[in-house]
Amino acid sequence: MSIRKTMFVKENTFRKLDDPFNDVAKKYVFYAKVCDVPEGIPMATNPRDQRLTSGVAQAIRESLESNDGSFHLKNRGIVLSAKS
């Protein structure tokens, strides 16, 4: 099954990281605004059970909801595996 989503990010927030052990694998890192992340990204492959009631999780949620400018520093982001 193929799912197609498009994200637009600012060029100056996008970085390619070369893998020193694998010439084929590529890793890209970028910042995106929460409102620019497309809906419908499958979450079924999350390997961990999320504990959204912990103090840390609540602080992250509060940062997101208040738009305090530090949400991106308080969470580890989203990891996506993509073909292109």
Side-chain angles (χ1 to χ4, degrees):
M1 180 168 107
S2 177
I3 297 170
R4 183 176 290 255
K5 300 288 180 182
T6 301
M7 292 182 70
F8 295 98
V9 298
K10 292 182 179 180
E11 184 177 339
N12 64 345
T13 70
F14 190 90
R15 300 285 182 267
K16 176 185 172 194
L17 302 176
D18 291 326
D19 185 330
F21 306 106
N22 184 333
D23 293 334
V24 178
K26 294 176 178 38
K27 182 176 184 177
Y28 300 92
V29 177
F30 60 89
Y31 285 111
K33 292 180 179 179
V34 172
C35 61
D36 292 336
V37 176
E39 290 186 27
I41 295 174
M43 299 298 285
T45 58
N46 190 348
R48 294 175 284 133
D49 288 331
Q50 296 177 348
R51 209 173 122 228
L52 301 177
T53 57
S54 72
V56 171
Q58 289 176 355
I60 292 170
R61 177 184 293 272
E62 288 171 10
S63 177
L64 172 64
E65 291 174 347
S66 71
N67 197 17
D68 66 5
S70 62
F71 172 71
H72 67 293
L73 302 172
K74 294 180 178 179
N75 74 86
R76 294 184 183 147
I78 300 171
V79 175
L80 301 173
S81 296
K83 185 174 181 179
S84 62

